Amino acid sequence: MHDIATQGLAEKLKAGFTDGSFVKDGRVIAERHLAQQLDVGRRALRKAFDLLEAEGIIWRRQGQGTFVGTPPTPRLRKLEGIATKTSPFEIMEVRQEIEPSMARFAALRASQGDIDAMRTMVENAARATTQGEYEKWDAAFHQKLAESVKNTLFLAVFEAVNAVRRDAAWARMRESSHSGSLINDLSRQHREIVDAIEQRDPKRAEDAMRRHLAQVEQALKQS
């Protein structure tokens, strides 16, 4: 059982992870800087990290640091080479099969904390002033939705697809296809997905995700 102080510090950390103030490129900022910002000792911070790691909020790798989200597996890392053998439209076929289903399950299984985190990520994406910033929060939203399904195999398939999408050539294609007006449309669709999940409406969540991915695919075809 963790004490009240540790739980309170863990909640502050989760809020900072969600709004991006304690994270850079998916990695938690250096422990000493984080302790200074929060005005706590390193021992108290590590206790809060232990709690968050047990909850699956963060993961740690010796010599590399602390990361937000789910740790990659060696098998998924090997999939990154597939990016040279596939096309954006093959990836969209897979996304259109798995992500609407995940949205449906999220409407049934996501916790309120999951939903609050997704909504924050959606709004951060909508306020993004650069393509890179939008991509970061868009990816965080879809990742959080996948995690909220609470299904290890679904999450593994989703992360395999993401391993391919992170390829630099794919990133350049997304940049060329994402105009300001498109980002506004995609952000509106993100809100519709989260609204349906929060209202526990599986069919509406699934349909909203399907429409969202159809527009993403159309943008890729026009780029």
Side-chain angles (χ1 to χ4, degrees):
M1 178 69 68
H2 294 276
D3 58 43
I4 293 175
T6 298
Q7 292 173 349
L9 180 55
E11 289 302 316
K12 289 182 182 179
L13 289 167
K14 283 195 279 189
F17 297 158
T18 299
D19 66 25
S21 56
F22 298 156
V23 181
K24 183 176 181 181
D25 297 328
R27 181 181 300 182
V28 178
I29 62 174
E31 190 176 286
R32 63 181 181 280
H33 297 315
L34 189 55
Q36 289 171 357
Q37 285 190 38
L38 293 168
D39 194 24
V40 298
R42 301 276 285 274
R43 184 170 178 271
L45 187 61
R46 287 172 187 146
K47 287 176 66 178
F49 276 170
D50 289 342
L51 176 57
L52 293 174
E53 187 170 29
E55 293 178 358
I57 304 297
I58 61 171
W59 58 281
R60 290 180 277 190
R61 178 168 288 160
Q62 187 172 4
Q64 296 186 26
T66 301
F67 302 82
V68 176
T70 304
T73 66
R75 185 174 298 173
L76 289 179
R77 287 197 296 271
K78 292 178 181 178
L79 290 172
E80 294 178 4
I82 294 177
T84 61
K85 303 175 183 177
T86 189
S87 73
F89 305 108
E90 288 182 349
I91 284 294
M92 289 309 305
E93 282 186 356
V94 177
R95 292 189 69 192
Q96 287 170 333
E97 289 299 318
I98 65 170
E99 292 192 50
S101 294
M102 288 195 297
R104 182 177 74 249
F105 283 117
L108 299 171
R109 300 175 182 173
S111 69
Q112 189 58 50
D114 292 330
I115 294 166
D116 291 343
M118 282 188 273
R119 197 172 294 283
T120 296
M121 293 164 182
V122 164
E123 295 309 319
N124 285 343
R127 291 193 296 267
T129 56
T130 66
Q131 177 65 30
E133 188 180 1
Y134 172 81
E135 289 282 345
K136 176 184 77 172
W137 290 113
D138 172 70
F141 162 65
H142 286 274
Q143 175 77 30
K144 187 63 181 177
L145 189 153
E147 292 171 359
S148 77
V149 173
K150 312 293 193 289
N151 181 305
T152 303
L153 189 55
F154 254 137
L155 183 59
V157 174
F158 172 84
E159 291 185 337
V161 174
N162 262 0
V164 178
R165 292 181 70 237
R166 282 193 293 266
D167 180 82
W170 288 72
R172 288 192 294 273
M173 175 171 284
R174 289 196 300 275
E175 287 175 8
S176 67
S177 68
H178 282 40
S179 64
S181 61
L182 176 62
I183 287 174
N184 288 337
D185 287 343
L186 298 180
S187 295
R188 174 181 51 77
Q189 293 163 3
H190 283 162
R191 293 186 187 102
E192 291 173 354
I193 295 165
V194 178
D195 287 345
I197 291 171
E198 186 162 37
Q199 291 166 19
R200 305 302 179 184
D201 190 329
K203 185 178 187 307
R204 191 153 67 89
E206 180 177 5
D207 291 345
M209 179 63 82
R210 204 174 297 283
R211 288 192 299 272
H212 173 63
L213 295 175
Q215 183 154 4
V216 172
E217 181 181 41
Q218 186 63 32
L220 288 172
K221 288 178 179 178
Q222 293 174 352
S223 64

